[in-house]
Amino acid sequence: MKNKLRRMLKTTESEPKEKPSPTKQEQQATAEQAAWLEKGADILTFEEEWIVRIDHRYPLTAQHGHRSFEAVFESLQLPHPPLALDVPLEQVIFFDTETTGLKGTGTTIFLLGFARFEKGDLLMRQYFLPHPHYEAALYHHFLHDIGEDVRFVTYNGKSFDWPQIKTRHVFVRERVPRLPKVGHLDLLHVCRRMFKGLYDSYRLTRMEERIGFERTDDLPGFLAPMHYFQYVEHQNPAIMEGVLEHHLHDCLTLVSLYDECNRLVTHRQDASSQIRENIAVWLADLGIHEQSVKHFGQAEELTAQGWLRQGFLYKKLRQYEEAVDCFQKSETYEGYIELAKWAEHIAKRPDVAYDYTEQARKMLEQHQLLSSRRERLITELNHRSLRLQRKCQQ
């Protein structure tokens, strides 16, 4: 009897234990991941979380708009100060995000990605957050991939995308790499300076006119959050196809738009007088005087403010003869005030300075200004006139 019980106990212990059935959540996750894998995506895991990474590679001969990516590759080699990026080429990333809202700590980044030149191609990489509570995995892999010292080329990223990343990183910073050292070239600000007065809107899709790219059947960006919430509910990758394509075009547009702006700044592309004037003023504000002079010189005609700004530039360079010519052509009260200063202090002609002062007064009467500014200018002109009258009588 004892031997029989011993044999029965041994048999029971040697039988393999049955594995517990996968939970409904595990079954759904497996099916969800398989659906992404079928679309050519990669599943990246971190601790108990996972995200989706999608890569596209383009040869340099490929185009987005009317120029190839090879042209952008060449533009990145040009050391022109306003658009130069002081890191190796592989550390320059053309970056964009998609979020569940425009602001606030409750806003989640569910899609981020970048285009970057790598191994003789242009790599377009997207990171998708399948579930809002997997943010640690999202930032772990994104920060690991971009490295510790990068330069972002974005469109409104300096005031939106990167601050959003810093905000969300706070919630997972104990688990993921620290944020890298980041330099920033925001093409929104570049376009506003270069194309001032030419567009009523500086939306990225509007700037695509300059690179010769037109979207077809594009999903409007404001619908992206709605699609993401639908995805979270149904776990169907097809729901995100339009959002992914919209985001991909945003990043590729940054690549081509950078080249467009760089060509205009480096004189490798013809431009209207208005664009040349805008670039010249922008460069003058940055203190890049030599290039500013070149752009002013290439403009066939200038606005009154353009002549005025060119005059101030020549004055700063102590090229007074050229400055006087520009101030005269501006036909503005500011220009006549500068002419009065020149006549009094440089040419030593108080009588001429007095005439310029009176012309400035007449021009000032034709301009609508804030009363406080008008009163201040009139007081200054009155003071100047009295001083010049005394000098003329001596």
Side-chain angles (χ1 to χ4, degrees), residues 77-118:
Q77 317 301 314
L78 298 173
H80 199 275
L83 299 175
L85 298 157
D86 58 340
V87 292
L89 186 60
E90 62 272 13
Q91 291 171 242
V92 177
I93 62 177
F94 298 84
F95 176 75
D96 188 45
T97 66
E98 297 292 341
T99 69
T100 57
L102 294 178
K103 60 182 179 179
T105 55
T107 298
T108 298
I109 298 173
F110 63 84
L111 177 61
L112 52 80
F114 58 83
R116 174 170 63 188
F117 289 97
E118 181 182 283

Side-chain angles (χ1 to χ4, degrees), residues 55 71 86 158 185 200 249 260 264 293 309 392:
D55 284 357
D86 58 340
K158 197 169 186 178
L185 176 63
D200 57 358
H249 287 318
E260 174 74 10
L264 291 168
V293 169
R309 289 303 303 270
C392 291

Side-chain angles (χ1 to χ4, degrees), residues 185-291:
L185 176 63
D186 195 326
L187 290 180
L188 171 61
H189 305 303
V190 173
C191 289
R192 281 177 172 169
R193 293 301 301 257
M194 294 180 66
F195 309 129
K196 181 180 179 181
L198 300 178
Y199 295 93
D200 57 358
S201 169
Y202 291 90
R203 294 174 63 87
L204 184 62
T205 50
R206 187 71 190 277
M207 291 299 99
E208 287 175 338
E209 296 176 9
R210 300 211 61 86
I211 64 173
F213 179 72
E214 184 177 357
R215 305 192 190 208
T216 56
D217 301 324
D218 181 59
L219 177 77
F222 69 88
L223 293 179
M226 181 184 71
H227 281 248
Y228 179 63
F229 295 138
Q230 289 180 350
Y231 173 86
V232 172
E233 181 179 357
H234 300 289
Q235 292 92 47
N236 182 359
I239 296 173
M240 296 304 299
E241 288 179 356
V243 178
L244 289 167
E245 183 177 6
H246 174 88
H247 176 259
L248 180 144
H249 287 318
D250 281 352
C251 293
L252 296 184
T253 289
L254 292 176
V255 177
S256 298
L257 187 59
Y258 174 88
D259 177 61
E260 174 74 10
C261 294
N262 195 293
R263 284 176 174 272
L264 291 168
V265 170
T266 55
H267 309 275
R268 292 177 297 139
Q269 182 175 325
D270 293 334
S272 67
S273 292
Q274 181 66 65
I275 292 177
R276 287 291 171 220
E277 178 181 322
N278 290 341
I279 296 175
V281 171
W282 177 38
L283 294 174
D285 289 340
L286 293 174
I288 308 173
H289 299 145
E290 182 179 349
Q291 285 296 325

Side-chain angles (χ1 to χ4, degrees), residues 359-375:
Q359 286 179 289
R361 191 196 307 276
K362 292 178 182 179
M363 293 296 296
L364 184 59
E365 293 174 354
Q366 301 174 13
H367 283 75
Q368 294 183 350
L369 298 173
L370 290 174
S371 58
S372 58
R373 176 171 171 77
R374 180 185 295 276
E375 290 176 3

Side-chain angles (χ1 to χ4, degrees), residues 311-330:
F312 280 120
L313 176 61
Y314 280 129
K315 179 183 177 181
K316 193 175 189 67
L317 297 174
R318 298 181 179 276
Q319 299 180 23
Y320 297 114
E321 184 176 344
E322 291 84 353
V324 166
D325 182 58
C326 292
F327 289 138
Q328 288 175 337
K329 290 179 178 178
S330 75

Side-chain angles (χ1 to χ4, degrees), residues 46-61:
F46 174 69
E47 297 179 353
E48 302 298 320
E49 304 174 6
W50 63 275
I51 63 165
V52 179
R53 190 176 71 187
I54 307 164
D55 284 357
H56 301 274
R57 285 192 175 272
Y58 301 91
L60 296 186
T61 54

